[in-house]
Amino acid sequence: MVQAILRLPAVKAESGASRSTIYLRIQQGLWPKPVRLGPRSVGWPASEVAAINAARIAGKTDDEIRELVAKLEAARKTAGKAL
C-alpha cells in the first residue's frame, strides 16, 4: 500500500492550523510527530492528518486525541517492522 506523505504547506492547508500551532500540538501530544524524509525535510502521512482532522470534527476531547496520536505513532513502528 502506497501512502502519501504531506509536507508542511499541505498539512497547514488540510488542517487549517499554522506552522506554530502544528508544532505546539506536537509538543502537547495532540499531533503526530513528523516523518523524516531527508536531512532537512519532514512530512506527515496523509492518513494520519485525515484521522486527526476527523477526530477534531467529531468533537473528540484532547485526551481522546492524545490516545489517537499514540495509536497512530505505534502503528508506524509496527508497519516499519513488517517491511
Side-chain angles (χ1 to χ4, degrees):
M1 173 177 80
V2 176
Q3 189 172 156
I5 302 283
L6 302 179
R7 299 291 305 274
L8 185 60
V11 172
K12 288 169 46 178
E14 290 285 324
S15 68
S18 68
R19 177 192 182 283
S20 58
T21 298
I22 291 167
Y23 281 97
L24 175 63
R25 287 181 181 165
I26 291 169
Q27 289 178 338
Q28 295 170 337
L30 297 171
W31 195 266
K33 293 175 183 153
V35 174
R36 180 140 312 273
L37 301 175
R40 294 181 48 174
S41 63
V42 297
W44 288 263
S47 61
E48 292 181 8
V49 174
I52 296 296
N53 287 341
R56 288 249 173 238
I57 291 167
K60 302 290 185 183
T61 66
D62 283 354
D63 287 335
E64 290 171 321
I65 293 175
R66 280 187 188 93
E67 288 178 30
L68 174 60
V69 168
K71 288 178 186 175
L72 292 171
E73 290 181 345
R76 279 186 199 172
K77 292 178 183 173
T78 58
K81 289 179 182 176
L83 298 175

